[in-house]
Every structure is written in structure tokens, then in C-alpha cells.
């Protein structure tokens, strides 16, 4: 049996074991994005099984699901896991794999088939298995990875809680003496309620397991990355436990505009201060003397094949350097088109499918999950690059070219498009009408979910894609519209069978979060209220025959694989990559404003490896910094593109052949004072200490400021026209309440501690108001100084009394 020893995972002899592996996602709990299927109402395992039962009956549904599970993972997959050098897998399990869905608290006849087989295959290869209840009865979050999207009943349904306890009694009884089982994972991401409720339920399951099995390690999941609610588990009587985190830095709206390199560099090397990222967790775990499993993470997706492989290896190595176990998400992801592309979520995918008709389907795509802050041509789109369109058959055919954009609830899309063109490669004839925009001529609006703001004549500076000309189509969230939104524009076009066409265009992400931009070419017109999806090479489970579904499911056992070349190269190699061996960040950055531009100068690096510098610029000190100069040879640069009257913030990095340093200290132009009364966005501070920004789900989206500790602060430059008394409305959120902050003006305390009452969650927002305070006419520095911790700020509004 593995066991814990302080912060280490050790074997029976007390020797440290460094667990390195991945998750077997989409096998015993399906996630349709991982096999590029779904649509027409079939979006998760629940809807698939319901539709199959409705169409073919329960027994046939069971046979088809078994066929899928027998095909998705075979012995060749276990062999490939070993090729990557892994010694552990995390096995996500849906409750109905074990429990008979028709007879609660009754084992299925084949309850242990896939778990026993996994343990046997792992044993053959000297590997461990972590048993993970990924989907509990009722669902512990409303996400599809629990098997059923839209459910969250576990927290309030006593029957679901009792059935979950029963499940763990069965698992613990069967595997209590099995040394291949490394640990029990009682609930995956139990984030459908509060942190305190999570601890209560995990403590209950811990006791349930311990009543049967005293030896296996039990994992304690975090609550959105926080383990604070547990306090010291030893004080609760927990023994032989490890914490579990699921960090996904750079994804899901985090760090918009930053490259995968920057995001993972900062995470793994703990940022410029050496105190953030993994170092913050290591400090906390070392104090508690408890080990850690990084149960899910994804460092290579969208980073390119070579760099993705290097970052993947560096991530595993860094976690191992702290003694942490690690299992990435995920081993395999397949698609209709196939291929690794710029880096899929899977370490393995299916080979490129050359049989697809390139004239139908998704033809270009970018998203904030793949490359937040993109500014590219369709040919260089990060999620799917535009390729030559080949139209089969003969004669004219009507197709529909669709531009689709949207965002998740709480997130704001802001994407611009221009120079849309589809050209016959033989005759050079253009088939798109009004691809340069300036009006909506030729385009039909498509509303799928919610509504979008479509500006066909937008010319806003900084919001146009590189290579655009004149007006662009800009897509944003309308004021007052909440929830998820999805839609776009389309037009009918005529293409000739037997001919080839070139799709081109440019598009830009203007600081969105949780947003997608997709181009489709379909042979059927889109329908309002119905999502546009690429069914080219896919199976429609609402209409497909049993034979067609069988063919799809069986194909997973034999389809040619394409292992991620970068991961193959670096994961099992004896030599670690050079990535993240950073030069020192540049020092002495100074800025001089002049008629010819903003002149920057800094100290030359003394590191012989440094071959140049990058220069970055932002209009907010905490904002997304865009690169304005690449590989500058000397330690000086003049920015001639800065607009008059705008405050700019600059940072510089040093470059070696393989690496880029952290940003230098920031230098800015003259800071413009904001006249008040006015609303100040929290992230537009001009100085701060200790805080971080994050994606905000409040009305209007954007970013909020958080991670406040005592004495942290945010600071703003304001100007007052007429002396008088003022108040501040502040928009705050906190799960637990906080002693809040003080208001300081020009270094003098103006308002004593203003508590932040509990709002019910970190993104559950409430507006509070301060007591009045006086300010004289003129320019002032307004500082909110934290006296407590654990509160978030979205905006503050300074009001005249």
C-alpha cells in the first residue's frame, strides 16, 4: 500500500514514490467534447443514454454503451501510457458504472468489470490507479462531466448522499487489500455548494471509507483551488490523506492576452516575486505536512507541438520536485478531423481523417481557451486553421457561410472580423458579398441563444484586426443582456462541384473571456434558436441507425493514433528541456515622453545568453500587456504609435534562445487623473500591493480585483473640481465576509474600516456604501487599504454628497 509521510507519498518501506500520470477521461464518464460528438440535444452521457433507450430500448442501450467502453480503452492504450513514462492513472467513474440505475443501492451484474480490468492492466505495467468518483448520484456540480449537465442535487438530496456513501462502502470493501489502488478520490470537483458544505460531505465520506478501509490514502478536494476550509485535517482526526488541486492556469478566461509560455512560466516559477503560483501552495502544504495530488492540469494545449511538449515535461518535473503526484487531463481526445494541430487536450488523438469533405463543416476557429488575445488571419487561427475548400461532385451547390461568436454566462465577448473572402482558385472569382463590411449588406443575423451586439461599421482604434482595412464587424455583449450568448451572421453562397476555393480573413480578440469565434461552411441553412455545429464526420444519435452507432463506437478500438509529437519527444526522455531557465528581468526601466514618441531605456543585461528584448504596453497597470516590439537588439526603444492623451504602461523582457524573462518593473507616461464623481473599475488601479485580477461574472463582466490580505491595497488617481463631502459605493463579493478595508486620501486615513458582509460567494456581488468623507479641490491619490482578507472588488463609485 502507498501511504503518506509528511508531504511525501511513500511505499510500504517508507521510500518516496513520485506518481506521474494522466486521467482516463471520457471512458467511464463521457464528455462529448473529448470525442467531438453530440448535438441536436445529445450533449452528455445522460442525454445519450436517454435517447438510445427511447429509440432502441434499455437492453440495446446497455449493449451500445458497453461496446463504447470496450473500445475506448484497449491494451494498446495501456501500452501507450507506459511509453509516456507514467506510473499512475486517475480513473474517473460515473456512479452508474457500479450501481444499477433501475435498482438503487444494488450492484450491477458487471459492476467491477472495468475497474478490475484497469487494475489488472496497471499491475502488468507496474502502475497505480486512483479511483475517482467523477459523477455522484444527483450530481455534485451542474457540469456535464458529472454525467448529467444541469443537475446539482447531491447537496440537498439526502437519498443521493446516502447512495454515495453506499457506493464508497462497496468500493472500499472490494479494494481495501488492493495495493495497485493508490488512493480514493471521494468526489471530483465538489463545487456545487459552499466550501464548508464540501468539507462536511468529504468528512462524511472519509468516515464511511475508514469504517471499512483504514489503509488507503483518501484525497481531500479543493474548492475552486482553495483548501482553507479544511483547516488542519489532522485536527479533525483525518489520517493518511492528501490534498487535491485542479489548476488550469491560462485557461477559462484566466490571463487573457498572455501566451502559454508566459502563463506557465509564471505558474511554475512562482512569478517575479517568487511567492505566487506553485510556491504559494507549497508553503501552505509544508505547514500542514500533507502531500498533494495535482489531479487535473493541462499545460500543452494550444502551445504548439514543440513548446507544448517542453512545457508539459517542465510541469511534471516541477510538480515532482515538490514531491507532488500529478495526473494531467487527459490521456486521449479524438475528433472528426483528427490530428494534433496546435496541441489538443489529449496526449493522444486520432490521425488526420483525409476522407472528410473539406467543403462542409467547421473551417476556422479561435477561442479564449485556445489562445486568448488572438489577432490573426484565418489561415493562422489557433484552434482550426483555414484550409483549401474542396467541393465534391459537379454543378453549382448552395452553401451557407456562417460566422458564429458567443460567450459563457458572466463573460463578455469582444471579437472583430474583416476581409472575409472565399475565392475560386481557378478563376479568382469572389463568392462572398460585402466581406469588408461597412454595412450589413449581404449578411443575415443569426440568433441562437441570447442576443449579440453586431456593429458592421466599427472603426474603434485598437479593436481592428491586423491586416484589416476600414470598417470591421465587431461582436460584443449588449448592455443588460446576461447569461450565455451565441449567434452571429451568415450568407448563402454558390460553389461549383469539382472546384477548390480559398477562405481568407482576419479576426481579433479584444480582451474577451470564455469566448469563441467560429466559421462554418454548411450545406443547410442555419436555424434561429438552434446551435450551429459541425456534423461532418459525426454521428447524429437522434437519427443514426444502430449500425452507424456501432461503427462509430467500434472505431475507437482500431482508429490510427497520433501521439502528441512534443510530448512523445520530451516526456520519457532523459534530458529535460531548456524551457524556463530564465535570464534576469531587465532593470532600470525609464520613460521619457516627447513629441516623437515615448522613449524607453533600461539597463543592458550582463547575461551572455541574452540576445534581445521584447517591449510590452498596456493602458492599465493591471491590464493585458500587448507586445509592441519584438527582439529589440539594444536597451532602448521609441514607441511612435502611442495616442496623445492616453496613459500607457510599459514593461520590458529579456530574451535568450529558449526563454523570456519576467516583466521588468512598469514605467508609465503621465498618469491622467480621473475627475470625480465617477465610477472606477477596480482593475484600473494605478498602483497596488499584493492583489490579483481575475475574470468577473458580475453584470458587465470584465475583471475584478481579489486575493486581498491585510495591508494589501489598490490605488487610484482622482481629481476633485469642488471641495466637499463624498461617499463611495463599492461593488464587492465574498463567500465568508471580511473586516474589509479603509479609505486613505493622500496618505491620510479618511474612513475607518468598512466591513464587507458575506455575499454568499466569490462571484456573488453586492453594492455597499461608505460613510461620508471630505476632499479638497485638486488632484488626489485614493487608496483602499485592506484590513482583512478574502474579499473581491469589481468597481467603486465616488459620489459627491
Amino acid at each position: 500500500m502507498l501511504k503518506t509521510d509528511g508531504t511525501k507519498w511513500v511505499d510500504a518501506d517508507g521510500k518516496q514514490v513520485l506518481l506521474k500520470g494522466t486521467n482516463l477521461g471520457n471512458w467511464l464518464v463521457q464528455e462529448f467534447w473529448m470525442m467531438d460528438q453530440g448535438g441536436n440535444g445529445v450533449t452528455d452521457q445522460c442525454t445519450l443514454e436517454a435517447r438510445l433507450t427511447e429509440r432502441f430500448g434499455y437492453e440495446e442501450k446497455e449493449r451500445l454503451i458497453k461496446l463504447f467502453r470496450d473500445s475506448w480503452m484497449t491494451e494498446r492504450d495501456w501500452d501507450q501510457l507506459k511509453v509516456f513514462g507514467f506510473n499512475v492513472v486517475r480513473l474517473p467513474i460515473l456512479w452508474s458504472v457500479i450501481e444499477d440505475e433501475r435498482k438503487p443501492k444494488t450492484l450491477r451484474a458487471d459492476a467491477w468489470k472495468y475497474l478490475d480490468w484497469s487494475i489488472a492492466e496497471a499491475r502488468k505495467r507496474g502502475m497505480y490507479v486512483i479511483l475517482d468518483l467523477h459523477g455522484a448520484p444527483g450530481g455534485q456540480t451542474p457540469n456535464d462531466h458529472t454525467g448529467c449537465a444541469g443537475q446539482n442535487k447531491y447537496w440537498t438530496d439526502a437519498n443521493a448522499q446516502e447512495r454515495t456513501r453506499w457506493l464508497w462502502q462497496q468500493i472500499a470493501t472490494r479494494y481495501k487489500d488492493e495495493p495497485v489502488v493508490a488512493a480514493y478520490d471521494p468526489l471530483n470537483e465538489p463545487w456545487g455548494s459552499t466550501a464548508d458544505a464540501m468539507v462536511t460531505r468529504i468528512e462524511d465520506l472519509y468516515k464511511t471509507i475508514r469504517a471499512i478501509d483504514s489503509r488507503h490514502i483518501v484525497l481531500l478536494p479543493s474548492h475552486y483551488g482553495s483548501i482553507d476550509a479544511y483547516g488542519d485535517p489532522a485536527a479533525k482526526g483525518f489520517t493518511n490523506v492528501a490534498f487535491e488541486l485542479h489548476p488550469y492556469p491560462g485557461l477559462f478566461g484566466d490571463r487573457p492576452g498572455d501566451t502559454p509560455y508566459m502563463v506557465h512560466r509564471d505558474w511554475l516559477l512562482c512569478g517575479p516575486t517568487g511567492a505566487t503560483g506553485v510556491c504559494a501552495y507549497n508553503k501552505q502544504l509544508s505547514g500542514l505536512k500533507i502531500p498533494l495530488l495535482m489531479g487535473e492540469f493541462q499545460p500543452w494545449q494550444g502551445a504548439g507541438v514543440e513548446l507544448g511538449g517542453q512545457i508539459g515535461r517542465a510541469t511534471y518535473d516541477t510538480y515532482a520536485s515538490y514531491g507532488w503526484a500529478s495526473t494531467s487531463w487527459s490521456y486521449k481526445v479524438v475528433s472528426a478531423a483528427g490530428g494534433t494541430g496546435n496541441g489538443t487536450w489529449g496526449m493522444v488523438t486520432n490521425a488526420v481523417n483525409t476522407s472528410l469533405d473539406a467543403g462542409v463543416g467547421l473551417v476556422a476557429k479561435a477561442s479564449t481557451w485556445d489562445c486568448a488575445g488572438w489577432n490573426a488571419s484565418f489561415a493562422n487561427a489557433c484552434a482550426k486553421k483555414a484550409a483549401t475548400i474542396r467541393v465534391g461532385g459537379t454543378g453549382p451547390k448552395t452553401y451557407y457561410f456562417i460566422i458564429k461568436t458567443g460567450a459563457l454566462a458572466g463573460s463578455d465577448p469582444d471579437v472583430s472580423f474583416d476581409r472575409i473572402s472565399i475565392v475560386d482558385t481557378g478563376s479568382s472569382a469572389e463568392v462572398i458579398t460585402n466581406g469588408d463590411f461597412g454595412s450589413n449588406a449581404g449578411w443575415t443575423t443569426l440568433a441562437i441563444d441570447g442576443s449579440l451586439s453586431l456593429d458592421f461599421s466599427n472603426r474603434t482604434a485598437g479593436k481592428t484586426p491586423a491586416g484589416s482595412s476600414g470598417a470591421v464587424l465587431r461582436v460584443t455583449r449588449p448592455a443588460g443582456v446576461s447569461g450565455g450568448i451565441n449567434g452571429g451572421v451568415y450568407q448563402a453562397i454558390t460553389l461549383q462541384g469539382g472546384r477548390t476555393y480559398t477562405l481568407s480573413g482576419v479576426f481579433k480578440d479584444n480582451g474577451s473571456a470564455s469566448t469563441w469565434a467560429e466559421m462554418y461552411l454548411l450545406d443547410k441553412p442555419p436555424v434561429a434558436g438552434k446551435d450551429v455545429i459541425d456534423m461532418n464526420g459525426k454521428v447524429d444519435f437522434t437519427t443514426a441507425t444502430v449500425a452507424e452507432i456501432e461503427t462509430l463506437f467500434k472505431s475507437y478500438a482500431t482508429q490510427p493514433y497520433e501521439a502528441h509529437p512534443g510530448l512523445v519527444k520530451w516526456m520519457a526522455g532523459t534530458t529535460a528541456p531548456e524551457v524556463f531557465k530564465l535570464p534576469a528581468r531587465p532593470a532600470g526601466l525609464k520613460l521619457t515622453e516627447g513629441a516623437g514618441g515615448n522613449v524607453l531605456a533600461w539597463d543592458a543585461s550582463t547575461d551572455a545568453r541574452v540576445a534581445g528584448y521584447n517591449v510590452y504596453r498596456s493602458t492599465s497597470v493591471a491590464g493585458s500587456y500587448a507586445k509592441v516590439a519584438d527582439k529589440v537588439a539594444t536597451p532602448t526603444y521609441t514607441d511612435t504609435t502611442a495616442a496623445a492623451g492616453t496613459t500607457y504602461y510599459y514593461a520590458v523582457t529579456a530574451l535568450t534562445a529558449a526563454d523570456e524573462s519576467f516583466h521588468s518593473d512598469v514605467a508609465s507616461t503621465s498618469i491622467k487623473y480621473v475627475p470625480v464623481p465617477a465610477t472606477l473599475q477596480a482593475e484600473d488601479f494605478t498602483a497596488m500591493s499584493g492583489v490579483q485580477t481575475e475574470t468577473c461574472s458580475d453584470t458587465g463582466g470584465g475583471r475584478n480585483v481579489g486575493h486581498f490580505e491585510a495591508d494589501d491595497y489598490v490605488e487610484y488617481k482622482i481629481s476633485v473640481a469642488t471641495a466637499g463631502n463624498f461617499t463611495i459605493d463599492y461593488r464587492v463579493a465574498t463567500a465568508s465576509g471580511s473586516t474589509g478595508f479603509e479609505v486613505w486620501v493622500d496618505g491620510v486615513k479618511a474612513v475607518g474600516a468598512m466591513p464587507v458582509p458575506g455575499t454568499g460567494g466569490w462571484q456573488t456581488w453586492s453594492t455597499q456604501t461608505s460613510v461620508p468623507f471630505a476632499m479638497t479641490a485638486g488632484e488626489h491619490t485614493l487608496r483602499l487599504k485592506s484590513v482583512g482578507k478574502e474579499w473581491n472588488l469589481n468597481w467603486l463609485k465616488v459620489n459627491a454628497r
Side-chain angles (χ1 to χ4, degrees), residues 366-368 371-378 405 413-418 420 460-468 472-476 505-512 515-517 519 624 626:
S367 76
T368 53
C371 56
W374 75 83
N375 186 1
S377 66
F378 292 172
T405 298
D414 190 343
V415 181
S416 301
F417 303 84
D418 199 14
I420 312 296
T460 305
K463 305 296 184 180
T464 58
S468 64
V472 303
L473 168 62
R474 185 178 174 197
V475 183
T476 57
V506 293
F507 63 153
K508 181 175 184 286
D509 167 31
N510 302 307
S512 307
T515 292
W516 55 87
M519 273 60 69
S624 178

Side-chain angles (χ1 to χ4, degrees), residues 334-521:
V334 304
S335 65
T340 300
N342 197 41
T344 67
W345 277 66
M347 308 187 80
V348 166
T349 187
N350 52 317
V352 173
N353 186 348
T354 58
S355 67
L356 287 183
D357 180 357
V360 177
L362 178 69
V363 290
K365 177 183 178 181
S367 76
T368 53
W369 296 278
D370 294 299
C371 56
W374 75 83
N375 186 1
S377 66
F378 292 172
N380 291 313
C382 61
K384 184 174 179 62
K385 295 176 171 59
T388 299
I389 298 168
R390 298 185 299 273
V391 182
T394 60
K397 298 183 178 183
T398 299
Y399 287 87
Y400 298 86
F401 178 73
I402 304 160
I403 300 174
K404 187 181 80 164
T405 298
L408 299 181
S411 300
D412 283 345
D414 190 343
V415 181
S416 301
F417 303 84
D418 199 14
R419 300 183 64 184
I420 312 296
S421 173
I422 297 179
V423 173
D424 186 322
T425 57
S427 67
S428 299
E430 175 65 67
V431 297
I432 290 289
T433 300
N434 189 25
D436 286 330
F437 301 106
S439 73
N440 64 353
W443 296 97
T444 299
T445 300
L446 173 64
I448 299 171
D449 187 21
S451 62
L452 292 168
S453 175
L454 303 171
D455 183 351
F456 292 87
S457 301
N458 192 273
R459 299 173 183 269
T460 305
K463 305 296 184 180
T464 58
S468 64
S469 56
V472 303
L473 168 62
R474 185 178 174 197
V475 183
T476 57
R477 180 188 289 274
V481 173
S482 60
I485 50 177
N486 191 13
V489 296
Y490 71 95
Q491 62 177 260
I493 61 175
T494 300
L495 304 181
Q496 298 292 327
R499 290 184 176 272
T500 60
Y501 295 81
T502 300
L503 166 67
S504 61
V506 293
F507 63 153
K508 181 175 184 286
D509 167 31
N510 302 307
S512 307
S514 300
T515 292
W516 55 87
E518 302 167 348
M519 273 60 69
Y520 291 86
L521 193 61

Side-chain angles (χ1 to χ4, degrees), residues 5 14 27 50 55 119 132 158 176 195 226 267 322 338 363 367 392 459 485 566 576 579 594 622 647 670 706 790:
D5 181 7
W27 180 30
R55 297 186 64 210
I119 289 168
D132 157 39
K176 64 181 179 179
S226 173
W267 167 252
Y322 292 106
V363 290
S367 76
R459 299 173 183 269
I485 50 177
V579 70
T647 299
S670 299
E790 298 181 347

Side-chain angles (χ1 to χ4, degrees), residues 679-747:
T679 297
L680 308 174
Q681 294 300 318
E683 67 271 27
D684 289 340
F685 51 75
T686 56
M688 68 86 173
S689 176
V691 302
Q692 301 176 40
T693 66
E694 60 190 1
T695 301
C696 183
S697 66
D698 196 9
T699 302
R703 312 284 288 177
N704 64 260
V705 175
H707 299 272
F708 282 97
E709 298 284 343
D711 294 326
D712 291 346
Y713 65 84
V714 286
E715 202 168 80
Y716 306 88
K717 299 295 186 182
I718 62 173
S719 63
V720 174
T722 304
N725 290 325
F726 296 81
T727 61
I728 296 178
D729 295 338
Y730 48 98
R731 187 72 167 169
V732 290
T734 174
S736 54
S738 172
T739 50
F741 59 91
E742 301 166 339
V743 176
W744 290 61
V745 177
D746 301 330

Side-chain angles (χ1 to χ4, degrees), residues 518-756:
E518 302 167 348
M519 273 60 69
Y520 291 86
L521 193 61
L522 301 182
D523 56 1
K524 293 182 176 61
V527 178
K530 186 175 181 179
D531 201 5
V532 176
I533 55 175
D534 182 358
M535 294 303 295
N536 197 21
K538 300 181 183 180
V539 168
D540 186 342
F541 294 106
T542 67
T543 59
T545 65
V546 166
E548 290 171 327
I549 297 170
E550 282 185 342
T551 298
L552 172 68
F553 286 175
K554 287 180 179 178
S555 72
Y556 295 131
T558 58
Q559 61 186 184
Y561 277 173
E562 180 178 300
H564 187 295
L567 294 172
V568 169
K569 175 180 178 180
W570 289 108
M571 284 301 301
T574 56
T575 302
E578 289 292 315
V579 70
F580 301 145
K581 296 182 179 179
L582 306 188
R585 61 186 186 136
L589 179 63
K590 295 180 176 60
L591 185 151
T592 303
E593 299 179 64
N598 296 327
V599 179
L600 299 167
W602 57 93
D603 299 339
S605 174
T606 58
D607 189 333
R609 300 176 302 151
V610 170
Y613 307 90
N614 284 347
V615 180
Y616 294 87
R617 185 181 74 186
S618 175
T619 55
S620 170
V621 68
S624 178
Y625 281 74
K627 187 190 299 182
V628 293
D630 185 46
K631 298 177 182 177
V632 176
T634 59
T636 184
Y637 173 75
T638 301
D639 180 12
T640 58
T641 66
T646 302
T647 299
Y648 289 104
Y649 299 84
Y650 294 87
V652 180
T653 61
L655 305 173
T656 68
D659 286 299
E660 182 175 5
S661 74
F662 291 118
H663 282 187
S664 67
D665 288 337
V666 171
S668 74
T669 57
S670 299
I671 295 175
K672 306 301 183 289
Y673 285 72
V674 178
V676 294
T679 297
L680 308 174
Q681 294 300 318
E683 67 271 27
D684 289 340
F685 51 75
T686 56
M688 68 86 173
S689 176
V691 302
Q692 301 176 40
T693 66
E694 60 190 1
T695 301
C696 183
S697 66
D698 196 9
T699 302
R703 312 284 288 177
N704 64 260
V705 175
H707 299 272
F708 282 97
E709 298 284 343
D711 294 326
D712 291 346
Y713 65 84
V714 286
E715 202 168 80
Y716 306 88
K717 299 295 186 182
I718 62 173
S719 63
V720 174
T722 304
N725 290 325
F726 296 81
T727 61
I728 296 178
D729 295 338
Y730 48 98
R731 187 72 167 169
V732 290
T734 174
S736 54
S738 172
T739 50
F741 59 91
E742 301 166 339
V743 176
W744 290 61
V745 177
D746 301 330
V748 177
K749 187 193 300 185
V751 178
M754 294 190 294
V756 178

